[in-house]
Amino acid sequence: MKDTLLSLHPAGENYLAAPDGGTTGGTDGTNKVPDPTRNAPGALADAVDTVLGIAAWAGTAAGVAGVMITGVMMAVSMKRGEGSEHLSRLGMVLGGCVLVSTAGPVVRFLFGA
C-alpha cells in the first residue's frame, strides 16, 4: 500500500512527518509510512477466506435474485397496465451488485494483498 500511495502522490512521505522534525515512523531515520508485516495464523487465515468466500457467494446470489424479482415485478406491472418506478429499484439492485463484485478488487488495491 505504501508504494501505491507514494506513486499516487510523490510527497506522500511527508504526511506522517513529526511536527518537531523528528524521525517517527521510519526505521532508517526518515519519516515514512509504516508497513507492518502480516503474521496471522494459517488456520485463522483459511477460516477467514472461507467466510469471505461464502459471503461473496451469498452477495452474488442475492444480486441475481434481486434482478430476477425486479424483472418479475416489472412484467406483472406492465401486464396490469400500472406504471411504477421499477427502473429505480433495478438501478439500486444493480448498484448493489456492482458494490459486491468490486469489493475485493478495491480492498486489494488499497491494502495490497
Side-chain angles (χ1 to χ4, degrees):
M1 180 173 161
K2 175 176 63 173
D3 296 329
T4 304
L5 290 176
L6 292 178
S7 68
L8 293 175
H9 193 284
E13 293 180 339
N14 296 327
Y15 286 148
L16 295 179
D20 61 352
T23 59
T24 59
T27 58
D28 59 351
T30 60
N31 295 321
K32 294 192 177 194
V33 177
D35 190 16
T37 59
R38 300 176 191 181
N39 55 357
L44 177 64
D46 291 341
V48 169
D49 284 343
T50 301
V51 169
L52 289 177
I54 291 170
W57 179 86
T60 303
V64 170
V67 170
M68 291 173 58
I69 290 169
T70 303
V72 168
M73 291 175 71
M74 289 173 72
V76 170
S77 292
M78 292 300 281
K79 179 137 175 102
R80 291 182 182 172
E82 299 172 353
S84 61
E85 299 180 7
H86 292 294
L87 284 181
S88 65
R89 187 174 298 154
L90 181 62
M92 290 177 56
V93 169
L94 292 178
C97 291
V98 168
L99 185 64
V100 167
S101 65
T102 59
V106 167
V107 169
R108 186 174 300 266
F109 172 75
L110 291 177
F111 297 108

